[in-house]
């Protein structure tokens, strides 16, 4: 049984074995980086919301780009792909299409954060 | 070895900070391009830097251009972080003054390998500097004061730091002096 199955039993947005490989097996560093993500993702969502409210294309592009970078530390699946699609649309000035992805991306980020919290608990339980 | 890390995403900087420490480097973390330039302007700047392309004030590309315009930072080894992997983007980054690039997401193995390359280049550059800089030479015996403060023959000094080797002969002036002596 791999880590993914141990944590939730469901298909997950990240492959925890791949993540641990990325962190060279260092649980301590992985936990610190998870904490960084968890302490920051709501601020990133807020930055995206504010940019959208002000119709500020440049700031929205940057906010989505930053979210994509944060998520890519752990995964290049669902959230990453949505952020990437939205970023490309904004780059091509397809503002209306991009904003259509906004709510979905927010929901995916929050679900991703919940998954990371569960992973954090698993890692803490394993830590010596 | 100190390494400047510049990225506005704290998850990425947390990852780089942790991994660099684990690899034995000393990371100095900042979040904007102007902060990066301030850190690089200090008396003993880091010899390597990992800089994100997209930053909130000036871009990573602009940081590279600024660095290459500064005589004191010409040898700084810059790794540009980017999520753009189009050949045109990479060419632009390298033309702006980056030595290398890493496409996000990247792994610890890639990070370590690219830093190893950077470390090797920095080390070679410091050797070259020794040969191009001011060398203390004895006015009488022409020995050179080496890095470990000992005095060595000029040919040994050059041989140790280059691929050059010496063949011994006599110049006309010295040959004439020797003959007069005999």
């Amino acid at each position: 049984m791999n880590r993914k199955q141990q944590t939730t039993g469901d298909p997950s947005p990240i492959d925890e074995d791949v993540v641990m490989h990325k962190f060279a097996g260092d649980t301590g560093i992985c936990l610190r980086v998870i904490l960084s993500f968890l302490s920051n993702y709501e601020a990133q969502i807020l930055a995206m919301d504010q940019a959208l409210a002000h119709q500020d294309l440049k700031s929205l592009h940057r906010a989505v780009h930053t979210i994509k970078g944060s998520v890519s530390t752990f995964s290049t699946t669902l959230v990453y792909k949505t952020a990437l699609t939205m970023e490309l649309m904004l780059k091509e000035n397809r503002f209306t299409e991009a904003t259509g992805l906004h709510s979905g991306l927010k929901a995916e980020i929050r679900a991703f954060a919940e998954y990371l919290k569960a992973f954090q608990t698993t890692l803490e339980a394993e830590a010596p | 070895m100190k390494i400047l890390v510049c990225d506005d995403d704290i998850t990425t900087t947390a990852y780089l900070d942790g991994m660099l420490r684990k690899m034995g480097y000393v990371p100095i973390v900042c979040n904007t391009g102007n902060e990066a330039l301030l850190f690089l302007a200090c008396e003993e700047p880091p010899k390597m830097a990992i800089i994100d392309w997209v930053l909130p004030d000036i871009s990573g590309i602009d940081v590279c251009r600024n660095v290459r315009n500064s005589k004191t930072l010409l040898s700084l080894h810059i790794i540009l972080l980017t999520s753009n992997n189009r050949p045109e983007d990479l060419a632009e980054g390298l033309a702006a003054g980056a030595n290398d690039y890493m496409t996000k997401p990247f792994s610890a193995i890639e990070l370590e390998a690219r830093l190893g390359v950077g470390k090797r280049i920095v080390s070679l550059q410091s050797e070259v500097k020794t040969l191009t800089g001011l060398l203390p030479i004895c006015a009488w015996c022409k020995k050179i004061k080496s890095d470990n403060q000992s005095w060595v023959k000029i040919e040994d000094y050059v041989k140790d730091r280059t691929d050059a080797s010496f063949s011994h002969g006599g110049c006309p002036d010295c040959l004439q002096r020797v003959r007069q002596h005999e």
Side-chain angles (χ1 to χ4, degrees):
Chain A
M1 188 187 286
N2 66 18
R3 284 173 175 275
K4 190 191 315 187
Q5 290 159 331
Q6 283 169 12
T7 303
T8 60
D10 298 323
S12 75
I14 64 171
D15 183 328
E16 295 167 11
D17 291 322
V18 172
V19 171
M20 286 318 294
H21 179 69
K22 186 170 177 172
F23 284 85
D26 194 313
T27 307
I29 298 175
C30 188
L31 278 168
R32 283 202 294 279
V33 179
I34 289 174
L35 278 175
S36 286
F37 180 87
L38 294 176
S39 69
N40 196 44
Y41 75 96
E42 282 296 347
Q44 289 179 327
I45 289 175
L46 185 65
M48 193 166 65
D49 287 347
Q50 285 175 340
L52 190 65
H54 293 102
Q55 302 269 301
D56 182 346
L57 192 70
K58 197 179 163 190
S59 298
L60 182 59
H61 180 257
R62 207 165 59 74
V64 174
H65 175 83
T66 306
I67 286 168
K68 187 191 76 181
S70 285
V71 169
S72 77
T73 308
F74 306 100
S75 163
T76 53
T77 55
L78 192 63
V79 198
Y80 176 85
K81 282 178 182 161
T82 308
L84 177 64
T85 307
M86 193 168 167
E87 187 188 7
L88 290 174
M89 285 172 174
L90 289 166
K91 207 172 180 177
E92 293 165 2
N93 292 314
R94 291 153 61 197
F95 192 70
T96 313
E97 280 177 84
T99 52
L101 293 179
H102 172 243
S103 301
L105 180 59
K106 277 169 60 170
E108 284 174 14
I109 295 167
R110 290 192 170 120
F112 184 72
E114 287 308 311
Y115 189 84
L116 278 184
K117 283 176 195 168
F119 184 34
Q120 178 189 11
T121 308
T122 308
L123 289 179
E124 282 168 348
E126 282 178 8
Chain B
M1 181 185 276
K2 286 191 287 186
I3 299 185
L4 182 75
V5 172
C6 183
D7 197 312
D8 62 329
D9 171 34
I10 66 164
T11 308
T12 303
T13 55
Y15 174 73
L16 284 169
D17 184 76
M19 296 313 297
L20 290 177
R21 283 181 200 282
K22 187 179 170 75
M23 292 169 192
Y25 297 98
V26 181
I28 300 164
V29 175
C30 63
N31 307 110
T32 69
N34 282 317
E35 276 177 338
L37 291 174
L38 273 177
F39 277 115
L40 291 170
C42 73
E43 210 166 298
E44 281 189 36
K47 299 202 184 305
M48 287 204 272
I50 300 173
I51 300 171
D52 191 28
W53 184 305
V54 179
L55 293 169
D57 47 359
I58 58 170
S59 72
I61 292 282
D62 290 329
V63 175
C64 290
R65 289 197 186 104
N66 266 285
V67 162
R68 295 308 170 215
N69 284 332
S70 157
K71 274 188 179 174
T72 53
L73 293 172
L74 277 175
S75 61
L76 177 74
H77 188 86
I78 304 176
I79 300 173
L80 197 61
L81 280 185
T82 170
S83 51
N84 309 322
N85 52 10
R86 294 185 313 150
E88 302 91 306
D89 293 323
L90 301 180
E92 188 188 349
L94 296 174
N99 298 84
D100 198 358
Y101 63 87
M102 274 194 299
T103 307
K104 286 182 186 176
F106 53 87
S107 66
I109 293 171
E110 181 180 357
L111 177 66
E112 191 162 28
R114 292 197 186 269
L115 288 172
V117 171
K119 208 171 166 183
R120 204 159 59 227
I121 291 171
V122 166
S123 157
L124 288 170
Q125 276 172 334
S126 103
E127 287 284 314
V128 172
K129 260 189 197 162
T130 309
L131 289 178
T132 54
L134 190 64
L135 295 178
I137 187 165
C138 170
W140 292 277
C141 71
K142 306 300 180 197
K143 277 183 181 168
I144 291 199
K145 197 175 189 180
S146 71
D147 311 330
N148 64 7
Q149 305 299 308
S150 65
W151 292 88
V152 295
K153 286 200 287 187
I154 190 163
E155 53 264 49
D156 291 339
Y157 187 88
V158 174
K159 261 197 292 192
D160 286 350
R161 288 161 178 78
T162 68
D163 289 334
S165 51
F166 290 84
S167 68
H168 289 95
C171 75
D173 292 347
C174 290
L175 284 175
Q176 196 181 355
R177 257 202 309 274
V178 169
R179 279 181 197 132
Q180 278 169 358
H181 234 63
E182 288 168 351

